[in-house]
Amino acid sequence: SALVPVAGALAACATPQTQAPASSAAPAATSAANPLGVDAKKPLEVWIFDGGFGNAYATDIHQPLFKTKYPDAEIKHNVTKEITKVLQPRFAGGNPPDVIDNSGANAMDMGALAQDGQLQDLAPLLDAPSWDDPNVKVKDTLDPAVVEFGTYDGKFHVLGYVNYIHGIWYSQKTFRDNGWTVPKTWDEFLALCETIKKAGKMAPFTYAGKHPQYLYEPLLTMAAKIGGNEVLVNIDNLEDGAWSAEPVRQAAEAWAEVGAKYLMQGTAGLDHVQTQTAQNKNEVAMLPCGSWLENEQKTTTPEGFEYGMFPIPDFTASDKMPYGTLHTQPGESFIVPSRGANPQGGMEYLRAMLSKKAAGDFSELVSTVSVVKGAGEGRDLSPGAKSATEALAAAGANTVYYRWRSWYGQLHDEAVAATGQLMTGGVTPEKYVERLQKKADELKADSAIKKYKR
């Protein structure tokens, strides 16, 4: 699942104690046609994470596009599910590849790589003209969150390529067949749950019970809608009382009611694939997930299912953020090792990936949304990707995100456990926020733990 943290989960050091020498690769002369100084004949070694998106997008879209400009450059294409196991020794030995899709549960710790000077500063890529239009810089084609999430200690090192868009997912066909409409207020959402429950054909709601982070995501998005984006900023910054703030408690109370009345039986013991497959079988109507869902379930989704996604409904008319507000953030992280043989070629490969055509072809192939603005326009997108894309466009500037999950692993673990108990009645909403506030306070007081701010 894309929700598995990729940083902070790995204890292994990215490099040996004696650091490898920096790459001796000298850039070629830069020009308007070659802004990054790429040696047109130098080989390029690419490693792709073999996960939910596969690797055909690299071999069939990105690499052919790169070759149109550099036909004499040999591309050495590789795939693996075990990024750390396979590539960490390469960093230790001073001979890393040139481009890596550092994603999945077994990704390398990017914070450690950045701290050790192993990652190329991608600022030149951001300031380079886009592949499509020499008058538009690469950075101006991207969702602004890409730079924020990819910056470590002031330098942009990591390119998130996929725009993960979170919301409540459903079958558009099932909703049509039953005459159900997408709820825009919380009262409408609860009324819909009650209608589905009384009909007795399926359960109203589920989530990945074994992985309660799938549920704390809509809970926190609701809290931000109620109290404004500063609710999440305060949580990230470990501000006093951030978790015990009234918007968080209200959101916890709202979702606890769903847990008490409308969950599919057995939810607590099921993982994401089991609950998502139950939805494909029309055993449950709605679940929270990100925009990778459709591609992840492509082998079990029946013909005509028609995935759709809607944003968290308005809690009350007094919400500080409007209907349509979404939690979205970049994922599927690409890096260029600074000590590889061809870092300029690596950055140029990313520049090609960020062209509107490449990003659009990618979105169409793997049923998801890229971080390149407008890449899905005019595309024959799958129902779920189209729904998520339209929701993102409608949200405009009303998007939120949080960073504490990757910054503070202990707080994530506590939130997972507490959210699971909240949804099964093991803890009240008041005790829920109290428990998470206590953990946040402990982390804040621990001088051994590095603190982050946004």
Side-chain angles (χ1 to χ4, degrees), residues 308-345:
M309 189 204 82
F310 63 84
I312 303 302
D314 290 342
F315 187 62
T316 72
S318 301
D319 285 1
K320 287 192 176 179
M321 299 193 76
Y323 177 76
T325 296
L326 291 175
H327 170 204
T328 178
Q329 63 188 60
E332 203 71 15
S333 301
F334 282 78
I335 56 176
V336 174
S338 60
R339 293 166 184 161
N342 190 5
Q344 290 78 32

Side-chain angles (χ1 to χ4, degrees), residues 395-411:
N398 297 304
T399 60
V400 299
Y401 60 85
Y402 45 81
R403 306 292 303 276
W404 61 270
R405 173 183 172 145
S406 58
W407 286 346
Y408 307 111
Q410 294 178 50
L411 186 53

